[in-house]
Amino acid sequence: MTASWLDLPPDHPFGLATLPYGVFSTTDPDLRRVGVRIGDFVLDAGVAAEFVGMESGICWAQPSLNHFLSLRRPAWTAARAWLTEVLSNPAHRDGIEPHLIPLSEVTLHLPIEVADYVDFYASENHATNIGKIFRPDGEALTPNWKHLPIGYHGRSGTVVVSGTDIIRPMGQRKAPSDAAPRFGPSIKLDIEAELGFIVGGGTELGSRVDIDDAADHLFGVALFNDWSARDIQAWETVPLGPFLGKSFGSSLGPWVVPMEALTAARVALPLQDPEPLPYLRGSGTAGSGTAGSGTSLFGLDVHLEVRINGTLVSSPTYAGMYWSPVQMLAHLTVNGASLRDGDLFASGTISGPEKHTRGSLMELTWNGQEPLTLDDGSTRAFLQDGDTVSVTGWAPGPDGAQIGLGEVVGTISPALT
Ligand code: CA
């Protein structure tokens, strides 16, 4: 594999095989522009591109990735090839090196101006666990679950960048034993460890994205924490779905890892039985029942770690997720809904079959009945004020390289009562 003239260790999670995009500023917070992480530096991409005479570099002199996202797959591919060339060919070192800024000297911002935001529910283990907890007397999975990727439209304006404090939400709750609803700070504040998929290449209202074209609109992946107030959620959700129990804040990681960096991490999906309707089948998979064996459907071998105040509480793996991101994207446009540059859709909580791979406290503590013990000896059923939750992630890259997804972190601050 090509090596960078930065001389990074081969297993560095932000080596040449990763090259994620973010938005940063240095001394002036209003001077936000696109940066590319390499090692523990951020390449001031627009300035570097201008210096080297790469015309399309102007798309990086922007306060979000949205303009770059609008340029579509060929431009994304060309940009990555250019970055790889200038960061590996020593002939470019003198021109590029002055535009590398130590990570410690930058402030990272939300990488995209979030257009529309959808949250899916693509883990069978998560959906089953939640079904058992919320509907103990019914079927764990709803009848539609294996026929379509279930999702809801969330609140794009409250997606915040990693590091932003999360204010404990106020709201209504009503436990089964309560005679009437109460109002106050949520007492069941939770996390949901997810992947966020960043979409580019807008589409016309009334058109739909064919599943075999869906990957062309998938720009990249960032870590995502869908903070959830379980008590508010339980009382408000039936019959129209998640609302204020979710919309008070969702944290997005600062680094968007291009899908091209995750080629080696593609894995087959679990067996999809019953076979989904044709619009959710990729080419080469019809009839086989084994999605992911064809060219268009895939899962991702991404490994996450969830920590509360430094204690590792869960290690979810994305590889077992039931629905492919391309199925999610095809489904969300099948009714003619248009895509916009900067759309974000999240996978839903990533939970595996084992207890230590569950991606929410709701599941890890079984709705608070089995509290966790942290390294300081304290216990948690749900989050307390002052708690810091970190989700980190990585994936295998080509030739043994590691693809870092970075970290999404947030600290709970008290409710504004
Ligand atoms: Ca979620």
Side-chain angles (χ1 to χ4, degrees), residues 117 119-121 126 152 192 194 224 226 228 246 346-349:
Y117 158 50
D119 194 20
F120 282 99
Y121 196 47
H126 173 70
Y152 67 95
E192 292 192 336
E194 307 192 14
F224 192 73
D226 175 27
S228 299
K246 299 280 192 178
S347 60
T349 308

Side-chain angles (χ1 to χ4, degrees), residues 162-237:
S162 172
T164 307
D165 283 354
I166 298 297
I167 301 168
R168 180 180 297 274
M170 300 286 288
Q172 281 196 30
R173 64 178 188 271
K174 182 186 173 301
S177 55
D178 292 338
R182 308 160 183 250
F183 179 75
S186 169
I187 58 172
K188 287 191 173 182
L189 185 53
D190 198 356
I191 58 164
E192 292 192 336
E194 307 192 14
L195 289 186
F197 292 91
I198 310 298
V199 172
T203 60
E204 291 286 320
L205 183 63
S207 68
R208 59 179 187 258
V209 176
D210 185 274
I211 189 151
D212 288 330
D213 299 328
D216 286 341
H217 294 273
L218 279 180
F219 173 74
V221 171
L223 294 171
F224 192 73
N225 185 346
D226 175 27
W227 307 91
S228 299
R230 301 301 182 193
D231 42 358
I232 297 172
Q233 182 186 359
W235 172 230
E236 74 176 1
T237 296

Side-chain angles (χ1 to χ4, degrees), residues 10 17 32 79 142 144 149 154 161 182 191 196 200 205 207 209 224 231 238-239 241 253 283 289-290 305 337 387:
R32 301 181 184 196
T142 50
N144 53 3
V161 71
R182 308 160 183 250
I191 58 164
L205 183 63
S207 68
V209 176
F224 192 73
D231 42 358
V238 179
S283 61
T290 308
E305 292 189 333
D387 282 350

